[in-house]
Amino acid sequence: MDLEFNKNEDLNKQQLFQLKKKLEKVKLGGGQKRIDAQHEKGKLTARERIDYLRDKGTEFLEVGAFAGEGMYEEVGGCPSGGVVTGIGYVSGKQCMIVANDATVKAGAWFPITAKKNLRAQEIAMENRLPIIYLVDSAGVFLPMQNEIFPDKEHFGRQFRNNAKMSAMGIIQVAAIMGSCVAGGAYLPIMSDEAMIVDKTGSIFLAGSYLVKAAIGEDVDNETLGGATTHCEISGVTDNKYANDQECLDAIRKIFDKIGAFEKAGFDRKEAKLPAKKIEEIYGVFPADRAKPYDIREVIDRLVDNSEFDEYKALYGKSIVCGTARIDGWAVGIIANQRKIVKSKKGEMQMGGVIYSDSADKAARFIMNCNQRKIPLVFIQDVSGFMVGSRAEHGGIIKDGAKMVNAMANSVVPKFTLVIGNSFGAGNYAMCGKAYDPRLIYAWPSAQMAVMSGASAAKTLLQIRVATLKAQGKVITPEEEAQLLQEITQKYEEELSPYYAAARLWVDGIIDPAETRKVISMGIEAADHAPITERFNVGVIQT
């Protein structure tokens, strides 16, 4: 291995170490003391419930592990958004699992909690996945009720989704394993089956204190809405269980008897590991994000047997397109090329920039994959579209629009991986979050913003200096340098993949070696949802 490889490997593994440390902290939820308090009540934690429920030896693809990261610090934070969500296997059935984390503010709903729950439901709806709710929540976090209660994508949307999923025939099973109060009480009861844990589970529209204040009635919470009340008197819940484990066992029995559903029919053959070692990704992916590299070196370490059938290899070279298999699944890959290449006219093209010919190629490739029912994988390391008079005269807007149109109207499932830059309109064309990828994950090396940190900082500095001068203030070179440093630092924080993951702009940050797992489990989930729409690129023709 050469010196450059070793340098790249060192930095990428440092970033991976930081990722693992952050994940360890996130998985503690509200902290060890609150975990101990949960155990003292005879309850498992959210993550323990999921581990007990899912099939042993199977993978779990967590969604939104870093939701809320660095947010709500003024009230003590909200690790993982106070809820654990992900795709797992229960009695051999792939499903979405949503578990409130009662160690985080008693499982109260913050704005990011609602966003994360809705994302979990969206994944279930798009992929026709059964969904399991493990409920243990104190309800809306009242100090932020104005940010979570009344709007379209707020708390109430989940109940609308409950109803829609029921109509779609998507199985929903809920287990009340702790508090379930106020509006949140509708979620388990709008599910197909609602079970409750005796003595620790409770469900009511208003707790005993509020009942006393509202109507003057003295009643304890267990009598008001405990397991005995709802299983023997009201009939709100279906069955009660002695403890968490017994309740989770009952869910496994339900899923053991679920029948098979129609599949989309995506092609899968026996999986093969890449011929080139997966762990070599750390060395071939550059530590210096401005340094050119050949994206094929990354692709070869992700696809089965390192076999990649490239489409129009000699044309539109700033985007690489081709078909391959990942864990046996047939995929169509669209990836930004960071290597400096020559265009068909012999002109040198900058790496990571989308040119007219590459946009046109990508649009045609997307159309082909839709025709052949091949899921799409977008690998982002993009600086944006080419600018300047030559690009404008060559019709970059028209060709860029072709690509966006084909991608947006694609009916086969799309998966997005952000491995490097994700800037400007390049984020959109390469299937950013706004374009409904079934899953979107980032590597620790990812950056996401309107433009690069250096470009943005210089632009913002010019605006700030001009404003100060207009106010009659004189700024020295030293003050200007200090201002640039402050602006750059703030912008760099916002470029971080953790900033994006905290706000659910991506579904998570992964070890590059986990990429195959993400894509494979994603396509397996998508295969539950038959394609019923016809691909149509709309008004823009190619």
Side-chain angles (χ1 to χ4, degrees):
M1 296 299 176
D2 60 21
L3 184 62
E4 191 66 31
F5 184 100
N6 293 335
K7 182 181 175 182
N8 293 340
E9 187 176 46
D10 286 345
L11 181 67
N12 286 316
K13 286 193 172 180
Q14 284 175 28
Q15 292 180 333
L16 181 58
F17 176 78
Q18 292 170 0
L19 169 63
K20 289 179 178 177
K21 294 295 286 184
K22 284 178 176 288
L23 277 171
E24 286 173 8
K25 184 178 178 182
V26 158
K27 289 180 179 180
L28 284 174
Q32 191 59 50
K33 285 185 179 179
R34 290 176 182 169
I35 291 173
D36 293 341
Q38 189 93 336
H39 291 163
E40 286 170 9
K41 295 175 184 176
K43 297 164 66 175
L44 300 175
T45 66
R47 292 183 182 277
E48 288 168 345
R49 287 166 178 165
I50 291 173
D51 286 344
Y52 184 92
L53 175 66
R54 64 189 184 88
D55 298 345
K56 301 300 176 277
T58 60
E59 298 281 8
F60 179 66
L61 178 56
E62 187 162 355
V63 174
F66 289 108
E69 173 85 1
M71 300 167 68
Y72 316 118
E73 296 297 335
E74 68 281 3
V75 292
C78 186
S80 215
V83 62
V84 183
T85 61
I87 299 172
Y89 300 86
V90 176
S91 298
K93 312 295 192 304
Q94 195 180 45
C95 58
M96 171 58 71
I97 305 173
V98 178
N100 298 114
D101 187 350
T103 70
V104 179
K105 294 288 190 295
W109 284 59
F110 284 69
I112 197 66
T113 316
K115 187 172 183 179
K116 184 171 174 178
N117 274 268
L118 292 177
R119 175 62 178 147
Q121 288 184 321
E122 179 183 44
I123 291 171
M125 293 169 80
E126 285 180 331
N127 298 291
R128 303 296 195 274
L129 285 180
I131 186 166
I132 299 169
Y133 305 102
L134 306 180
V135 185
D136 193 346
S137 172
V140 168
F141 185 64
L142 290 177
M144 292 183 176
Q145 65 84 28
N146 63 316
E147 298 179 48
I148 189 176
F149 172 62
D151 209 349
K152 181 178 179 180
E153 300 296 332
H154 282 181
F155 189 73
R157 184 78 172 181
Q158 66 173 331
F159 311 131
R160 174 263 188 196
N161 287 349
N162 283 143
K164 288 289 185 181
M165 282 191 278
S166 181
M168 293 165 68
I170 297 172
I171 296 162
Q172 300 175 82
V173 174
I176 301 155
M177 313 184 83
S179 297
C180 184
V181 301
Y186 288 106
L187 184 145
I189 309 311
M190 293 184 74
S191 299
D192 300 302
E193 190 148 353
M195 47 195 64
I196 188 168
V197 178
D198 197 18
K199 299 298 186 284
T200 55
S202 59
I203 179 168
F204 34 64
L205 293 180
S208 56
Y209 293 125
L210 188 54
V211 168
K212 175 68 174 176
I215 63 173
E217 181 184 0
D218 283 309
V219 60
D220 63 88
N221 283 338
E222 185 64 26
T223 303
L224 183 66
T228 298
T229 295
H230 286 312
C231 287
E232 299 180 20
I233 301 172
S234 72
V236 166
T237 52
D238 302 315
N239 288 297
K240 67 178 180 179
Y241 301 91
N243 53 46
D244 283 7
Q245 291 88 338
E246 191 177 302
C247 185
L248 295 168
D249 287 337
I251 295 175
R252 293 183 57 78
K253 290 177 182 177
I254 291 170
F255 272 71
D256 181 56
K257 297 170 182 67
I258 292 174
F261 290 87
E262 184 183 355
K263 299 285 187 180
F266 300 124
D267 187 64
R268 191 180 198 185
K269 292 186 176 178
E270 182 183 354
K272 296 179 181 178
L273 289 174
K276 296 183 179 179
K277 295 179 180 178
I278 298 172
E279 57 269 23
E280 289 177 357
I281 283 177
Y282 308 119
V284 300
F285 188 77
D288 180 356
R289 65 182 55 255
K291 193 174 182 65
Y293 67 96
D294 191 344
I295 189 63
R296 296 180 189 87
E297 292 294 327
V298 173
I299 293 171
D300 284 348
R301 288 161 176 83
L302 296 178
V303 301
D304 289 14
N305 210 31
S306 300
E307 293 177 355
F308 179 61
D309 301 319
E310 193 165 348
Y311 173 75
K312 288 183 179 286
L314 303 178
Y315 179 78
K317 296 180 182 179
S318 73
I319 287 183
V320 171
C321 300
T323 54
R325 291 188 182 275
I326 293 179
D327 199 34
W329 294 103
V331 295
I333 296 173
I334 300 106
N336 302 113
Q337 176 62 288
R338 293 291 306 205
K339 186 178 178 182
I340 297 175
V341 296
K342 283 186 179 181
S343 72
K344 61 183 182 296
K345 297 177 182 178
E347 302 158 344
M348 298 306 292
Q349 294 186 347
M350 294 187 295
V353 177
I354 301 176
Y355 289 78
S356 284
D357 52 359
S358 50
D360 176 71
K361 176 175 83 172
R364 293 175 183 273
F365 179 71
I366 290 168
M367 293 167 66
N368 286 349
C369 287
N370 274 271
Q371 192 78 358
R372 300 166 191 172
K373 204 157 75 170
I374 301 174
L376 293 167
V377 176
F378 292 82
I379 303 178
Q380 291 192 8
D381 191 355
V382 59
S383 302
F385 283 90
M386 189 57 190
V387 297
S389 60
R390 186 187 295 272
E392 298 294 357
H393 295 170
I396 185 66
I397 296 175
K398 171 177 61 68
D399 289 320
K402 285 182 190 176
M403 180 178 175
V404 171
N405 197 294
M407 180 273 299
N409 283 295
S410 180
V411 296
V412 295
K414 300 170 292 196
F415 302 88
T416 302
L417 184 68
V418 186
I419 67 172
N421 300 332
S422 179
F423 297 153
N427 170 280
Y428 299 163
M430 292 294 293
C431 195
K433 186 67 182 288
Y435 292 85
D436 297 326
R438 295 291 177 96
L439 294 171
I440 175 170
Y441 279 82
W443 286 2
S445 49
Q447 288 190 342
M448 192 179 300
V450 171
M451 61 181 76
S452 70
S455 299
K458 289 174 184 176
T459 303
L460 291 167
L461 177 65
Q462 290 171 359
I463 295 170
R464 188 82 63 86
V465 169
T467 302
L468 291 170
K469 286 181 178 178
Q471 295 171 352
K473 297 177 182 178
V474 179
I475 183 167
T476 67
E478 292 77 16
E479 289 172 332
E480 189 170 320
Q482 176 65 26
L483 197 55
L484 177 60
Q485 184 180 348
E486 291 172 2
I487 292 170
T488 301
Q489 183 178 346
K490 180 180 183 297
Y491 200 85
E492 289 290 341
E493 288 174 3
E494 294 176 1
L495 279 171
S496 164
Y498 296 99
Y499 189 91
R503 290 152 182 81
L504 291 173
W505 300 344
V506 295
D507 290 318
I509 305 170
I510 58 167
D511 178 346
E514 290 185 301
T515 301
R516 284 169 54 85
K517 176 184 109 171
V518 170
I519 301 303
S520 178
M521 288 184 69
I523 297 176
E524 183 183 350
D527 201 38
H528 290 83
I531 296 173
T532 57
E533 297 176 274
R534 179 176 175 272
F535 176 69
N536 190 326
V537 294
V539 297
I540 297 179
Q541 302 300 316
T542 58

